[in-house]
Amino acid sequence: MAVISKLGRMMEERGTGTIELAARVGITPVNLSRIKTGRVRSIRFSTLNALCRELECEPGDILGYSPDEKPG
């Protein structure tokens, strides 16, 4: 069971690059990349809020749940 990141897909749909989005959200490109690939153990609500604001989406558009996947 795992929470999975759908951030990469959302960024692609919005035509937003990692460096650009990281700057707009106020985090490093490395940290954004880690969120995008699911290689984080946690995410701050303030970061999730900023991502949703900048991508004009809901948290469920960025994060999902898959009972069959193993945590990253």
Side-chain angles (χ1 to χ4, degrees):
M1 296 184 274
V3 172
I4 57 171
S5 175
K6 301 185 285 184
L7 179 59
R9 185 175 351 153
M10 182 58 59
M11 289 172 60
E12 189 175 310
E13 288 177 13
R14 299 293 196 259
T16 304
T18 300
I19 294 171
E20 174 191 352
L21 183 59
R24 291 179 9 212
V25 169
I27 61 175
T28 67
V30 170
N31 283 339
L32 182 61
S33 181
R34 287 180 180 156
I35 295 168
K36 195 165 107 175
T37 60
R39 301 237 188 268
V40 293
R41 292 166 75 71
S42 64
I43 182 171
R44 292 176 182 232
F45 276 6
S46 59
T47 301
L48 184 57
N49 182 57
L51 287 168
C52 289
R53 180 190 67 233
E54 294 301 324
L55 294 172
E56 298 178 355
C57 67
E58 298 289 324
D61 296 327
I62 295 174
L63 300 174
Y65 173 77
S66 176
D68 299 328
E69 296 231 6
K70 296 191 183 205

